[in-house]
Structure formats: C-alpha cells, structure tokens
Amino acid sequence: MGHRIFTMSFGSVYPLYVAKLERKGRTRAELDEVIGWLTGFDESAIRERVADGTTFEQFFAGATLNPDAALITGVICGVRVEEIDDPLMQKIRYLDKLVDELARGKAMDKVLRSA
C-alpha cells in the first residue's frame, strides 16, 4: 500500500510547488489559496505544516476536504484523478492537479471549481 509520497514531508514538496508557480508568474498566495480551498487550512495552518515535518499522510488526515474536490478531473502523471482507488493518493493528486492548472494559467475561479 505505502507509496513513498505518503511519508514524505509536505514541507519538502511545498517549495517545489512555489517554485513551479513562480516560474509561471503565479504567487505563493495563490498556492495557499488553492491549498486552503482543497484542505480547509488557512495560511498559518499551512505554514505550520510546512515547518513541522508533517507527512502527506498526516497533512490530509488533518484536512477537511472541500466537498467540491470531486469536481477535480483530468490526468496527472498519466492517470485520471477521478479513477484513483487509494483515497490518500487521490487527495495528493487533486493537489497536484490544482497546482498544474494554476501553473498553466487557468483562472483562479476555474481552478477552485466555483464557476
């Protein structure tokens, strides 16, 4: 069962998300907005989890997933996110998909499935 990413610290991947988005002209604030939308964490909760070594498994165990997360569809790493069986892997891929959409320049209201 255990994918390596489950035990990776969220804080080790977060700067990679930031760098990817900043290269594309997006901001850390936009990343935090997307993470907050998906997980229910505010900016300080995100910072705390980045700093304290929280694993992805712990990160999503403490999250309140947005009910609209099921609207996130498409392919990430060659796999359709809506077809991923493992609930934790699906949540991680939801986050990856949102970051990718931001990086591709998609409007925030579209990324957050509010339109």
Side-chain angles (χ1 to χ4, degrees), residues 8-17 46-56 59:
M8 287 179 68
S9 78
F10 176 72
S12 69
V13 178
Y14 181 85
L16 303 176
Y17 290 148
I46 294 167
R47 294 282 163 275
E48 192 175 298
R49 284 157 181 81
V50 166
D52 71 7
T54 299
T55 65
F56 270 97
F59 181 80

PDB file of all heavy atoms in Angstrom, residues 8-17 46-56 59:
ATOM      1  N   MET A   8       6.540  11.282   2.777  1.00  0.00           N
ATOM      2  CA  MET A   8       7.338  12.483   2.511  1.00  0.00           C
ATOM      3  C   MET A   8       6.732  13.652   3.271  1.00  0.00           C
ATOM      4  O   MET A   8       5.518  13.734   3.439  1.00  0.00           O
ATOM      5  CB  MET A   8       7.344  12.820   1.013  1.00  0.00           C
ATOM      6  CG  MET A   8       8.185  11.893   0.179  1.00  0.00           C
ATOM      7  SD  MET A   8       8.120  12.317  -1.578  1.00  0.00           S
ATOM      8  CE  MET A   8       8.982  13.867  -1.590  1.00  0.00           C
ATOM      9  N   SER A   9       7.590  14.561   3.699  1.00  0.00           N
ATOM     10  CA  SER A   9       7.050  15.725   4.407  1.00  0.00           C
ATOM     11  C   SER A   9       6.444  16.699   3.394  1.00  0.00           C
ATOM     12  O   SER A   9       6.991  16.932   2.320  1.00  0.00           O
ATOM     13  CB  SER A   9       8.127  16.408   5.242  1.00  0.00           C
ATOM     14  OG  SER A   9       8.956  17.197   4.437  1.00  0.00           O
ATOM     15  N   PHE A  10       5.292  17.230   3.776  1.00  0.00           N
ATOM     16  CA  PHE A  10       4.632  18.239   2.960  1.00  0.00           C
ATOM     17  C   PHE A  10       5.562  19.425   2.751  1.00  0.00           C
ATOM     18  O   PHE A  10       5.636  19.992   1.662  1.00  0.00           O
ATOM     19  CB  PHE A  10       3.321  18.670   3.632  1.00  0.00           C
ATOM     20  CG  PHE A  10       2.611  19.765   2.917  1.00  0.00           C
ATOM     21  CD1 PHE A  10       1.969  19.533   1.720  1.00  0.00           C
ATOM     22  CD2 PHE A  10       2.599  21.052   3.435  1.00  0.00           C
ATOM     23  CE1 PHE A  10       1.319  20.552   1.043  1.00  0.00           C
ATOM     24  CE2 PHE A  10       1.954  22.084   2.772  1.00  0.00           C
ATOM     25  CZ  PHE A  10       1.312  21.824   1.570  1.00  0.00           C
ATOM     26  N   GLY A  11       6.336  19.750   3.797  1.00  0.00           N
ATOM     27  CA  GLY A  11       7.268  20.875   3.734  1.00  0.00           C
ATOM     28  C   GLY A  11       8.394  20.698   2.735  1.00  0.00           C
ATOM     29  O   GLY A  11       8.986  21.678   2.291  1.00  0.00           O
ATOM     30  N   SER A  12       8.708  19.453   2.371  1.00  0.00           N
ATOM     31  CA  SER A  12       9.762  19.235   1.376  1.00  0.00           C
ATOM     32  C   SER A  12       9.238  19.441  -0.044  1.00  0.00           C
ATOM     33  O   SER A  12      10.005  19.728  -0.958  1.00  0.00           O
ATOM     34  CB  SER A  12      10.365  17.830   1.521  1.00  0.00           C
ATOM     35  OG  SER A  12       9.433  16.832   1.147  1.00  0.00           O
ATOM     36  N   VAL A  13       7.943  19.309  -0.235  1.00  0.00           N
ATOM     37  CA  VAL A  13       7.344  19.442  -1.564  1.00  0.00           C
ATOM     38  C   VAL A  13       6.786  20.852  -1.785  1.00  0.00           C
ATOM     39  O   VAL A  13       6.819  21.371  -2.903  1.00  0.00           O
ATOM     40  CB  VAL A  13       6.247  18.372  -1.768  1.00  0.00           C
ATOM     41  CG1 VAL A  13       5.564  18.518  -3.114  1.00  0.00           C
ATOM     42  CG2 VAL A  13       6.860  16.970  -1.635  1.00  0.00           C
ATOM     43  N   TYR A  14       6.336  21.490  -0.727  1.00  0.00           N
ATOM     44  CA  TYR A  14       5.741  22.826  -0.830  1.00  0.00           C
ATOM     45  C   TYR A  14       6.631  23.820  -1.584  1.00  0.00           C
ATOM     46  O   TYR A  14       6.139  24.504  -2.499  1.00  0.00           O
ATOM     47  CB  TYR A  14       5.385  23.334   0.574  1.00  0.00           C
ATOM     48  CG  TYR A  14       4.742  24.694   0.595  1.00  0.00           C
ATOM     49  CD1 TYR A  14       3.368  24.838   0.410  1.00  0.00           C
ATOM     50  CD2 TYR A  14       5.497  25.840   0.807  1.00  0.00           C
ATOM     51  CE1 TYR A  14       2.773  26.082   0.436  1.00  0.00           C
ATOM     52  CE2 TYR A  14       4.916  27.094   0.834  1.00  0.00           C
ATOM     53  CZ  TYR A  14       3.553  27.214   0.642  1.00  0.00           C
ATOM     54  OH  TYR A  14       2.965  28.466   0.648  1.00  0.00           O
ATOM     55  N   PRO A  15       7.953  23.906  -1.268  1.00  0.00           N
ATOM     56  CA  PRO A  15       8.789  24.862  -2.016  1.00  0.00           C
ATOM     57  C   PRO A  15       8.872  24.530  -3.518  1.00  0.00           C
ATOM     58  O   PRO A  15       9.056  25.425  -4.336  1.00  0.00           O
ATOM     59  CB  PRO A  15      10.173  24.735  -1.372  1.00  0.00           C
ATOM     60  CG  PRO A  15       9.969  24.015  -0.092  1.00  0.00           C
ATOM     61  CD  PRO A  15       8.700  23.232  -0.208  1.00  0.00           C
ATOM     62  N   LEU A  16       8.710  23.258  -3.854  1.00  0.00           N
ATOM     63  CA  LEU A  16       8.714  22.873  -5.276  1.00  0.00           C
ATOM     64  C   LEU A  16       7.455  23.381  -5.960  1.00  0.00           C
ATOM     65  O   LEU A  16       7.505  23.846  -7.111  1.00  0.00           O
ATOM     66  CB  LEU A  16       8.831  21.354  -5.418  1.00  0.00           C
ATOM     67  CG  LEU A  16      10.045  20.718  -4.750  1.00  0.00           C
ATOM     68  CD1 LEU A  16      10.005  19.200  -4.867  1.00  0.00           C
ATOM     69  CD2 LEU A  16      11.338  21.267  -5.341  1.00  0.00           C
ATOM     70  N   TYR A  17       6.328  23.310  -5.262  1.00  0.00           N
ATOM     71  CA  TYR A  17       5.086  23.892  -5.793  1.00  0.00           C
ATOM     72  C   TYR A  17       5.258  25.390  -5.989  1.00  0.00           C
ATOM     73  O   TYR A  17       4.890  25.931  -7.031  1.00  0.00           O
ATOM     74  CB  TYR A  17       3.909  23.666  -4.830  1.00  0.00           C
ATOM     75  CG  TYR A  17       3.395  22.262  -4.684  1.00  0.00           C
ATOM     76  CD1 TYR A  17       2.877  21.840  -3.464  1.00  0.00           C
ATOM     77  CD2 TYR A  17       3.366  21.354  -5.739  1.00  0.00           C
ATOM     78  CE1 TYR A  17       2.354  20.563  -3.299  1.00  0.00           C
ATOM     79  CE2 TYR A  17       2.855  20.080  -5.585  1.00  0.00           C
ATOM     80  CZ  TYR A  17       2.342  19.683  -4.365  1.00  0.00           C
ATOM     81  OH  TYR A  17       1.828  18.435  -4.195  1.00  0.00           O
ATOM     82  N   ILE A  46      -1.127  26.149   7.099  1.00  0.00           N
ATOM     83  CA  ILE A  46      -0.249  25.648   6.023  1.00  0.00           C
ATOM     84  C   ILE A  46       1.210  25.850   6.426  1.00  0.00           C
ATOM     85  O   ILE A  46       2.023  24.927   6.333  1.00  0.00           O
ATOM     86  CB  ILE A  46      -0.564  26.349   4.680  1.00  0.00           C
ATOM     87  CG1 ILE A  46      -1.977  25.960   4.201  1.00  0.00           C
ATOM     88  CG2 ILE A  46       0.494  26.006   3.624  1.00  0.00           C
ATOM     89  CD1 ILE A  46      -2.506  26.828   3.069  1.00  0.00           C
ATOM     90  N   ARG A  47       1.553  27.081   6.895  1.00  0.00           N
ATOM     91  CA  ARG A  47       2.934  27.376   7.309  1.00  0.00           C
ATOM     92  C   ARG A  47       3.392  26.411   8.406  1.00  0.00           C
ATOM     93  O   ARG A  47       4.520  25.946   8.396  1.00  0.00           O
ATOM     94  CB  ARG A  47       3.055  28.795   7.856  1.00  0.00           C
ATOM     95  CG  ARG A  47       2.828  29.889   6.872  1.00  0.00           C
ATOM     96  CD  ARG A  47       4.019  30.161   5.953  1.00  0.00           C
ATOM     97  NE  ARG A  47       3.550  30.937   4.825  1.00  0.00           N
ATOM     98  CZ  ARG A  47       3.012  30.431   3.727  1.00  0.00           C
ATOM     99  NH1 ARG A  47       2.899  29.144   3.579  1.00  0.00           N
ATOM    100  NH2 ARG A  47       2.621  31.201   2.749  1.00  0.00           N
ATOM    101  N   GLU A  48       2.505  26.163   9.367  1.00  0.00           N
ATOM    102  CA  GLU A  48       2.831  25.268  10.473  1.00  0.00           C
ATOM    103  C   GLU A  48       3.170  23.863   9.945  1.00  0.00           C
ATOM    104  O   GLU A  48       4.148  23.252  10.370  1.00  0.00           O
ATOM    105  CB  GLU A  48       1.606  25.199  11.400  1.00  0.00           C
ATOM    106  CG  GLU A  48       1.846  24.547  12.726  1.00  0.00           C
ATOM    107  CD  GLU A  48       0.586  24.658  13.579  1.00  0.00           C
ATOM    108  OE1 GLU A  48       0.158  25.798  13.896  1.00  0.00           O
ATOM    109  OE2 GLU A  48       0.025  23.596  13.908  1.00  0.00           O
ATOM    110  N   ARG A  49       2.377  23.375   9.010  1.00  0.00           N
ATOM    111  CA  ARG A  49       2.599  22.034   8.457  1.00  0.00           C
ATOM    112  C   ARG A  49       3.836  21.978   7.569  1.00  0.00           C
ATOM    113  O   ARG A  49       4.503  20.958   7.501  1.00  0.00           O
ATOM    114  CB  ARG A  49       1.349  21.550   7.745  1.00  0.00           C
ATOM    115  CG  ARG A  49       0.298  21.105   8.745  1.00  0.00           C
ATOM    116  CD  ARG A  49      -1.115  21.148   8.201  1.00  0.00           C
ATOM    117  NE  ARG A  49      -2.072  20.727   9.215  1.00  0.00           N
ATOM    118  CZ  ARG A  49      -2.543  21.513  10.180  1.00  0.00           C
ATOM    119  NH1 ARG A  49      -2.139  22.763  10.275  1.00  0.00           N
ATOM    120  NH2 ARG A  49      -3.407  21.065  11.061  1.00  0.00           N
ATOM    121  N   VAL A  50       4.145  23.071   6.912  1.00  0.00           N
ATOM    122  CA  VAL A  50       5.378  23.144   6.121  1.00  0.00           C
ATOM    123  C   VAL A  50       6.587  23.057   7.051  1.00  0.00           C
ATOM    124  O   VAL A  50       7.560  22.358   6.778  1.00  0.00           O
ATOM    125  CB  VAL A  50       5.425  24.443   5.276  1.00  0.00           C
ATOM    126  CG1 VAL A  50       6.815  24.697   4.725  1.00  0.00           C
ATOM    127  CG2 VAL A  50       4.404  24.371   4.142  1.00  0.00           C
ATOM    128  N   ALA A  51       6.504  23.757   8.191  1.00  0.00           N
ATOM    129  CA  ALA A  51       7.641  23.865   9.102  1.00  0.00           C
ATOM    130  C   ALA A  51       7.852  22.637   9.987  1.00  0.00           C
ATOM    131  O   ALA A  51       8.979  22.325  10.355  1.00  0.00           O
ATOM    132  CB  ALA A  51       7.468  25.096   9.988  1.00  0.00           C
ATOM    133  N   ASP A  52       6.772  21.925  10.331  1.00  0.00           N
ATOM    134  CA  ASP A  52       6.910  20.902  11.375  1.00  0.00           C
ATOM    135  C   ASP A  52       7.154  19.475  10.885  1.00  0.00           C
ATOM    136  O   ASP A  52       7.132  18.544  11.696  1.00  0.00           O
ATOM    137  CB  ASP A  52       5.724  20.950  12.342  1.00  0.00           C
ATOM    138  CG  ASP A  52       4.423  20.456  11.720  1.00  0.00           C
ATOM    139  OD1 ASP A  52       4.423  19.952  10.583  1.00  0.00           O
ATOM    140  OD2 ASP A  52       3.384  20.572  12.401  1.00  0.00           O
ATOM    141  N   GLY A  53       7.360  19.289   9.600  1.00  0.00           N
ATOM    142  CA  GLY A  53       7.675  17.942   9.113  1.00  0.00           C
ATOM    143  C   GLY A  53       6.465  17.043   8.911  1.00  0.00           C
ATOM    144  O   GLY A  53       6.601  15.830   8.769  1.00  0.00           O
ATOM    145  N   THR A  54       5.278  17.622   8.902  1.00  0.00           N
ATOM    146  CA  THR A  54       4.058  16.864   8.655  1.00  0.00           C
ATOM    147  C   THR A  54       4.181  16.086   7.348  1.00  0.00           C
ATOM    148  O   THR A  54       4.534  16.657   6.321  1.00  0.00           O
ATOM    149  CB  THR A  54       2.849  17.838   8.570  1.00  0.00           C
ATOM    150  OG1 THR A  54       2.722  18.512   9.809  1.00  0.00           O
ATOM    151  CG2 THR A  54       1.562  17.122   8.234  1.00  0.00           C
ATOM    152  N   THR A  55       3.867  14.780   7.399  1.00  0.00           N
ATOM    153  CA  THR A  55       3.894  13.974   6.171  1.00  0.00           C
ATOM    154  C   THR A  55       2.616  14.244   5.369  1.00  0.00           C
ATOM    155  O   THR A  55       1.635  14.777   5.910  1.00  0.00           O
ATOM    156  CB  THR A  55       3.954  12.466   6.489  1.00  0.00           C
ATOM    157  OG1 THR A  55       2.737  12.092   7.144  1.00  0.00           O
ATOM    158  CG2 THR A  55       5.166  12.111   7.334  1.00  0.00           C
ATOM    159  N   PHE A  56       2.617  13.847   4.107  1.00  0.00           N
ATOM    160  CA  PHE A  56       1.399  13.990   3.304  1.00  0.00           C
ATOM    161  C   PHE A  56       0.244  13.222   3.943  1.00  0.00           C
ATOM    162  O   PHE A  56      -0.891  13.685   3.959  1.00  0.00           O
ATOM    163  CB  PHE A  56       1.626  13.511   1.866  1.00  0.00           C
ATOM    164  CG  PHE A  56       2.093  14.610   0.958  1.00  0.00           C
ATOM    165  CD1 PHE A  56       3.433  14.777   0.692  1.00  0.00           C
ATOM    166  CD2 PHE A  56       1.198  15.482   0.372  1.00  0.00           C
ATOM    167  CE1 PHE A  56       3.875  15.794  -0.143  1.00  0.00           C
ATOM    168  CE2 PHE A  56       1.620  16.506  -0.466  1.00  0.00           C
ATOM    169  CZ  PHE A  56       2.964  16.663  -0.721  1.00  0.00           C
ATOM    170  N   PHE A  59      -0.895  15.312   6.764  1.00  0.00           N
ATOM    171  CA  PHE A  59      -1.455  16.544   6.218  1.00  0.00           C
ATOM    172  C   PHE A  59      -2.912  16.335   5.821  1.00  0.00           C
ATOM    173  O   PHE A  59      -3.802  17.075   6.228  1.00  0.00           O
ATOM    174  CB  PHE A  59      -0.618  16.995   5.010  1.00  0.00           C
ATOM    175  CG  PHE A  59      -1.080  18.271   4.376  1.00  0.00           C
ATOM    176  CD1 PHE A  59      -0.759  19.496   4.928  1.00  0.00           C
ATOM    177  CD2 PHE A  59      -1.821  18.254   3.207  1.00  0.00           C
ATOM    178  CE1 PHE A  59      -1.173  20.684   4.338  1.00  0.00           C
ATOM    179  CE2 PHE A  59      -2.241  19.430   2.603  1.00  0.00           C
ATOM    180  CZ  PHE A  59      -1.915  20.643   3.173  1.00  0.00           C
TER     181      PHE A  59
END
